[in-house]
Amino acid sequence: MPRQQEDILITIVVASVFFVLIGSFLLLIVFVFLRRQRKNKQEKEEMRNRFEQTLLKTQLEIQEQAFSYISQEIHDNIGQILSLARLNLNTFGDHVTEEKINQTDDLLGKAIKDLRDLSHNLQNNRIHSIGIIESIRQLLISLEKTGRFQTSFHTSDNFHILDVNTDIILYRMIQEIINNIIKHASANKIDIQVKSENGATTIRISDNGIGFDTNLLQQARTGIGLQNIINRAKMINTSVNVNSSPGNGTIITLYIKPKQSNI
């Protein structure tokens, strides 16, 4: 009997230990499950917070880009048209011709139209529709009509733009350069040469103005005009070279590099 009681006692002890282990294992599983559940909840909360932060950051970036685009459009396009209108007004003397009045009226009308177009859709389809070459030609014609500038324009027959949006960015850069000539160069001659070779495009814009020390370009504050040109150049894989010296005019060369083949 003592032997049987000992076996029963051992069985009870082993069973008790087994159930304790099973209970501990179940408790461990529940603990791990609850811990993982809390961790998943925290991760979801962190992901939601990161998503909201990313969304807010993206919205701010888009807003900043939109404001920057509007600022550049007003400064480069509409601002230049109004500068041309002002040049026309400055040429008014005692005898104002009807032609001068009509030219000024046309410029002001174009500025109003561009403002209206900008407010409607922030698009500039006109450059796309008539092309960058004709847009440059019309810009120079507008300069000629002020009576303050002589202009010349030369382009190669094989000129082409590879990207549909490159022409607008490139045209805005040319506008900004012309605008700087009008404001600062004291020039009366402007020449633009455009040529394409081996997939690359080179645009050379020169004037016979007072020129400037190019070392000044290394200073931190280079002005909104030059900064716009540099920013836009980066967007279309373009390098900008400025060659000038006091009393010798200025030559600005834009080199649009050919796109790399995917092959």
Side-chain angles (χ1 to χ4, degrees), residues 144-157:
E144 289 267 2
K145 287 181 177 179
T146 65
R148 296 278 298 274
F149 296 96
Q150 296 178 15
T151 67
S152 56
F153 182 41
H154 308 277
T155 179
S156 59
D157 295 334

Side-chain angles (χ1 to χ4, degrees), residues 3 30 55 70 85 95 132 166 191 196 202 225 228 232 260:
R3 180 66 179 175
V30 171
L55 181 62
I70 294 171
H95 302 287
I132 185 174
T166 302
D191 175 73
S196 294
T202 303
N228 283 345
R232 285 184 165 126
Q260 298 296 326

Side-chain angles (χ1 to χ4, degrees), residues 14-73:
V14 171
S16 298
V17 171
F18 176 76
F19 284 117
V20 168
L21 291 175
I22 292 295
S24 299
F25 180 72
L26 291 175
L27 287 175
L28 180 62
I29 291 176
V30 171
F31 174 77
V32 171
F33 173 77
L34 292 176
R35 184 177 180 182
R36 178 162 295 182
Q37 192 177 42
R38 286 198 303 269
K39 184 177 180 181
N40 289 339
K41 186 177 179 181
Q42 290 176 352
E43 289 178 349
K44 288 181 180 179
E45 185 69 19
E46 291 176 358
M47 288 177 63
R48 186 176 67 84
N49 291 335
R50 286 197 299 268
F51 174 76
E52 290 178 351
Q53 292 174 2
T54 303
L55 181 62
L56 177 61
K57 182 179 179 181
T58 302
Q59 290 174 340
L60 292 174
E61 287 177 350
I62 292 174
Q63 185 181 56
E64 182 64 25
Q65 290 175 359
F67 287 158
S68 177
Y69 173 77
I70 294 171
S71 173
Q72 289 180 345
E73 287 296 301

Side-chain angles (χ1 to χ4, degrees), residues 110-241:
K110 187 176 187 305
I112 293 171
K113 180 181 181 301
D114 286 350
L115 272 174
R116 187 184 299 114
D117 292 342
L118 182 62
S119 65
H120 283 168
N121 53 21
L122 297 181
Q123 295 294 329
N124 213 314
N125 295 325
R126 177 169 174 77
I127 298 175
H128 279 155
S129 62
I130 68 175
I132 185 174
I133 294 299
E134 185 59 29
S135 297
I136 296 173
R137 185 173 286 111
Q138 291 186 9
L139 173 62
L140 295 181
I141 290 174
S142 297
L143 287 173
E144 289 267 2
K145 287 181 177 179
T146 65
R148 296 278 298 274
F149 296 96
Q150 296 178 15
T151 67
S152 56
F153 182 41
H154 308 277
T155 179
S156 59
D157 295 334
N158 62 337
F159 171 79
H160 63 282
I161 294 296
L162 298 179
D163 186 86
V164 293
N165 293 317
T166 302
D167 53 356
I168 281 186
I169 298 173
L170 192 56
Y171 180 71
R172 290 292 178 249
M173 294 170 64
I174 296 171
Q175 272 192 315
E176 183 57 46
I177 294 170
I178 297 296
N179 201 34
N180 287 340
I181 294 174
I182 293 173
K183 290 182 177 180
H184 308 298
S186 298
N188 58 21
K189 292 182 180 179
I190 299 175
D191 175 73
I192 298 180
Q193 299 181 19
V194 181
K195 66 177 181 178
S196 294
E197 186 176 3
N198 298 326
T201 298
T202 303
I203 300 180
R204 181 180 181 272
I205 305 162
S206 61
D207 66 71
N208 66 340
I210 58 176
F212 62 95
D213 184 358
T214 55
N215 291 325
L216 297 177
L217 298 179
Q218 305 301 322
Q219 297 180 1
R221 299 184 63 182
T222 56
I224 185 173
L226 182 60
Q227 192 59 50
N228 283 345
I229 295 171
I230 294 174
N231 290 341
R232 285 184 165 126
K234 293 176 181 178
M235 295 170 61
I236 57 175
N237 196 29
T238 296
S239 62
V240 181
N241 180 63

